[in-house]
Amino acid sequence: MKANIGSADALTEMKELLTIRHQVKSLKKDNYLFREGDSIGGVFIIRSGKIQIEKVTPNGRELTLKICGPGQMVGEVTIFSEAPKYMLDARAIEDTVCLHISINDLEEALLSNGKLSVAFMKWMGIDQQKTQTKFRDLLLHGKKGALYSTLIRLSNSYGVQTEKGILIDMVLTNQELANFCGMTREVVNRMLNDLKKRELLTMSEGKILLHNIEHLKRETNCENCPIYLCKID
């Protein structure tokens, strides 16, 4: 099992987490691991399944920030502070099993294990960088940049190279794609239809095949960030 914090040797750096006292938590699809406003109880490590991190705005619009899978940590952990609360929702998009480490046990382990403390700070820093780059793309490049950068991130997370391009090997509805972009489904529909007319992508059975990802990168002034920052997970 690997703790996916942005480097190939992440397990080596974070393996001590798995030695901390923990509980196993099972979650059915569409149930919540935690909700915005809940008191933070600790950190979760996904053993199997997928958890979607999302935010619902006051007007009811949903923004999907990332999807976390096996080996990844979930939970906005504000350590060594009083009464921290979650700022986002975490929802299972398939049946999921997690390991839960309480915030008290985590803090005790961080105080006594310097190597673990450094690795944990690294994870938190990388997670923050991912969030910052995502919001940069959503805010600085308009609707086109939001969609194009989301497609690039999806290809980095779930892409499979084929003769005709990169297949995003994940079934997505247009509404789910819109949630990643912070846009309405109608806007995403129009933009996808335009990309299809220009033969830049095709769609089949809910999966997207990108025929020219370099075009998407040029249109978003791609800065060639490390792959681990430019992902949807």
Side-chain angles (χ1 to χ4, degrees):
M1 179 177 178
K2 292 189 178 182
N4 191 350
I5 63 171
S7 61
D9 59 350
L11 177 59
T12 302
E13 294 179 326
M14 298 297 289
K15 63 181 180 181
E16 288 89 352
L17 268 180
L18 303 180
T19 68
I20 302 173
R21 180 174 53 188
H22 58 264
Q23 296 178 327
V24 178
K25 182 179 179 65
S26 297
L27 209 63
K28 291 293 185 182
K29 180 181 178 181
D30 290 328
N31 286 344
Y32 285 87
L33 190 61
F34 53 78
R35 301 298 303 268
E36 180 180 358
D38 290 348
S39 296
I40 292 180
V43 63
F44 299 88
I45 301 176
I46 302 174
R47 175 182 285 175
S48 64
K50 289 187 176 67
I51 296 289
Q52 181 167 290
I53 308 300
E54 55 195 27
K55 170 77 174 181
V56 179
T57 66
N59 63 3
R61 179 173 295 180
E62 182 180 310
L63 175 63
T64 301
L65 297 178
K66 60 183 177 180
I67 294 175
C68 300
Q72 291 183 278
M73 278 195 289
V74 175
E76 306 159 88
V77 181
T78 306
I79 55 176
F80 305 114
S81 62
E82 294 186 10
K85 296 185 181 296
Y86 291 111
M87 299 178 66
L88 301 167
D89 294 334
R91 179 170 58 88
I93 57 175
E94 59 187 50
D95 290 351
T96 300
V97 177
C98 298
L99 306 181
H100 176 243
I101 300 172
S102 75
I103 195 166
N104 290 333
D105 289 337
L106 177 61
E107 289 177 352
E108 183 178 334
L110 293 176
L111 285 171
S112 61
N113 187 330
K115 184 178 180 181
L116 176 62
S117 297
V118 171
F120 192 78
M121 286 189 291
K122 179 180 178 181
W123 170 75
M124 293 184 70
I126 289 173
D127 196 58
Q128 185 179 45
Q129 283 181 286
K130 286 181 179 179
T131 301
Q132 289 174 342
T133 57
K134 178 178 175 64
F135 279 112
R136 175 201 64 192
D137 293 340
L138 292 177
L139 294 174
L140 295 184
H141 301 297
K143 292 183 173 63
K144 180 172 69 173
L147 176 60
Y148 289 11
S149 66
T150 297
L151 291 173
I152 293 169
R153 290 172 188 275
L154 285 166
S155 72
N156 288 335
S157 292
Y158 302 102
V160 177
Q161 187 66 53
T162 72
E163 292 182 358
K164 296 183 178 180
I166 299 176
L167 174 68
I168 298 175
D169 193 18
M170 179 184 185
V171 175
L172 281 170
T173 66
N174 286 4
Q175 182 61 64
E176 289 169 334
L177 187 56
N179 292 344
F180 277 115
C181 303
M183 297 188 293
T184 65
R185 179 174 56 83
E186 291 75 16
V187 170
V188 168
N189 287 348
R190 290 196 296 270
M191 295 176 71
L192 288 175
N193 286 333
D194 178 64
L195 290 172
K196 284 188 283 188
K197 288 178 182 177
R198 294 159 61 192
E199 299 183 344
L200 293 171
L201 64 76
T202 51
M203 301 179 67
S204 177
E205 298 180 347
K207 296 184 179 181
I208 297 173
L209 178 61
L210 302 176
H211 299 299
N212 190 347
I213 194 169
E214 293 305 319
H215 173 81
L216 304 184
K217 291 181 177 181
R218 286 194 299 271
E219 289 294 303
T220 54
N221 298 317
C222 178
E223 298 176 4
N224 293 312
C225 298
I227 292 295
Y228 67 81
L229 291 181
C230 189
K231 299 179 75 175
I232 214 72
D233 51 17

